[in-house]
Amino acid sequence: MVSPTSKARGISDLEATVIEIINSNIITRKSSEIFDRTGEIPLTSTPETIEIANAFLRAKGINATQYDETDNEITKWDIYWAREMAAAMLQRHHLGGTYGRYLPGRFLHYELLSNNICSLFSSEKENGNKKEILELGCGAALSLILSVRRGVHPTGLDSSVMALDFAGYLAKNHYHVLDNIKLVHGDYFHTEFEDNSFDVVYNSGVLEHYGLEQQIELIREMKRITKREGYIVITVPNEQSPFYSRYSERQRSVKEKHPNLLLNPVDDRRYKVDGINLMEAEGLRFVKEDGILIAPSSPIKPGDISREDL
């Protein structure tokens, strides 16, 4: 026989057990969470990382000292991605292995995203052609790199030349798929792709950084270049998630201690995204809303998991 108080305590015990399990399996998701070998400075902020990144930027004719002085968002992205690439290269030099060992949380996120994207259709050849997928704002293109083995033709577009250099480095040196992926420098609001070019067009973590007018503009461009029977996919972070909140709190804390740390240049610019209404207003048929559960990269606390979650 179990008393009511035991049952109540059982829920508490279960919550404590779940929290303990989760917190013993924290996986790093952002480079801002990785520190140098002294454990004192975020890896992307060390003098060695900055020196290597600045060499990459000079080779592209980009002035790395302009980050805080320029209003040019693309320049900021170039500096950001140059440091991301330099940090990844240094970690590989020190630890060996692939990017997934450096940032297992980010790798897992894009593994799940790639799986969800490719599950929209059969990866088998149809009528002699593999499916064409496009990511707008691809950054390091991890989901596209991971999609190669699922039998598709992936294309990534980004406005940052350094993001594309980083994507090319990962595709070539870590995952050996550079010959199977197409990387394009361009503006995702006004691409140069022909109408009805892709079976799937998607973006991840892009739309929430733009106001309604630009959200509509991007959806229309995605619609134009997607085949009539194709899919448009939008992914945005669930900012109500306690896991995401803890990560954001930790990132802000690290930034306060290390002001020179470069975060996502548009991280503080966030807008509401009503994806369903946006799509339906453009004549698209809404198919489904889904989510990807990502393990936290920072410890969670009691109250972060609800009774329903348990």
Side-chain angles (χ1 to χ4, degrees):
M1 180 178 294
V2 180
S3 69
T5 55
S6 296
K7 288 183 179 180
R9 189 167 59 249
I11 290 292
S12 177
D13 290 344
L14 177 56
E15 180 182 30
T17 300
V18 171
I19 289 174
E20 181 181 357
I21 292 171
I22 290 175
N23 286 342
S24 66
N25 289 279
I26 297 297
I27 54 176
T28 310
R29 193 161 65 89
K30 294 286 186 178
S31 58
S32 59
E33 300 169 316
I34 296 180
F35 284 68
D36 66 356
R37 283 175 287 179
T38 69
E40 297 178 355
I41 306 174
L43 188 59
T44 52
S45 298
T46 65
E48 186 178 13
T49 297
I50 293 173
E51 181 181 356
I52 295 171
N54 288 351
F56 293 150
L57 293 163
R58 285 194 298 271
K60 298 290 185 181
I62 300 168
N63 185 348
T65 64
Q66 289 183 344
Y67 190 89
D68 293 324
E69 303 168 10
T70 182
D71 292 327
N72 189 320
E73 195 170 289
I74 295 176
T75 297
K76 290 187 173 184
W77 276 115
D78 283 330
I79 298 171
Y80 170 83
W81 282 115
R83 292 196 188 181
E84 290 282 312
M85 179 162 68
M89 287 178 169
L90 285 172
Q91 280 297 89
R92 189 183 192 206
H93 174 73
H94 295 315
L95 299 178
T98 60
Y99 189 77
R101 181 177 179 185
Y102 167 47
L103 284 179
R106 180 180 289 178
F107 187 84
L108 175 60
H109 169 87
Y110 287 108
E111 177 82 36
L112 295 170
L113 177 58
S114 170
N115 183 65
N116 279 17
I117 294 293
C118 293
S119 70
L120 293 171
F121 48 77
S122 169
S123 62
E124 298 296 326
K125 290 184 178 180
E126 296 180 13
N127 300 321
N129 296 311
K130 293 184 179 181
K131 296 294 185 180
E132 300 283 348
I133 67 172
L134 167 69
E135 181 178 9
L136 297 177
C138 66
L142 274 179
S143 60
L144 296 173
I145 289 169
L146 293 165
S147 296
V148 169
R149 67 170 182 256
R150 294 187 167 99
V152 301
H153 284 155
T155 299
L157 180 146
D158 205 281
S159 59
S160 166
V161 292
M162 290 310 309
L164 296 175
D165 272 15
F166 188 22
Y169 160 74
L170 292 176
K172 179 180 179 180
N173 296 289
H174 288 239
Y175 303 106
H176 314 294
V177 295
L178 184 59
D179 292 340
N180 304 106
I181 185 171
K182 184 177 181 181
L183 299 171
V184 178
H185 183 236
D187 176 358
Y188 42 63
F189 290 104
H190 308 284
T191 74
E192 297 184 2
F193 300 117
E194 295 182 359
D195 294 357
N196 309 311
S197 294
F198 297 94
D199 297 285
V200 177
V201 176
Y202 71 100
N203 59 60
S204 178
V206 171
L207 214 63
E208 73 271 18
H209 298 299
Y210 294 100
L212 180 59
E213 185 176 329
Q214 288 178 295
Q215 290 178 11
I216 293 170
E217 184 179 3
L218 184 52
I219 292 289
R220 286 176 178 171
E221 180 65 2
M222 295 173 78
K223 177 183 176 181
R224 181 186 70 79
I225 58 180
T226 303
K227 295 176 182 178
R228 184 173 177 82
E229 299 302 321
Y231 295 92
I232 292 173
V233 180
I234 297 167
T235 83
V236 296
N238 176 8
E239 298 190 29
Q240 304 304 312
S241 162
F243 289 7
Y244 191 83
S245 298
R246 295 287 180 223
Y247 153 71
S248 298
E249 290 170 8
R250 181 178 178 185
Q251 183 168 259
R252 282 192 294 270
S253 175
V254 173
K255 177 67 174 176
E256 288 174 3
K257 294 178 183 177
H258 305 278
N260 293 330
L261 176 67
L262 295 188
L263 301 178
N264 175 336
V266 296
D267 198 56
D268 293 331
R269 193 180 75 203
R270 293 180 179 273
Y271 298 87
K272 179 181 178 181
V273 178
D274 188 347
I276 297 174
N277 285 333
L278 275 173
M279 290 187 172
E280 291 183 340
E282 295 305 317
L284 299 167
R285 182 171 63 87
F286 175 72
V287 177
K288 69 174 181 176
E289 184 176 25
D290 207 343
I292 299 173
L293 183 61
I294 302 168
S297 56
S298 30
I300 65 169
K301 302 175 183 177
D304 284 347
I305 299 178
S306 68
R307 183 182 295 267
E308 290 75 16
D309 292 330
L310 293 173

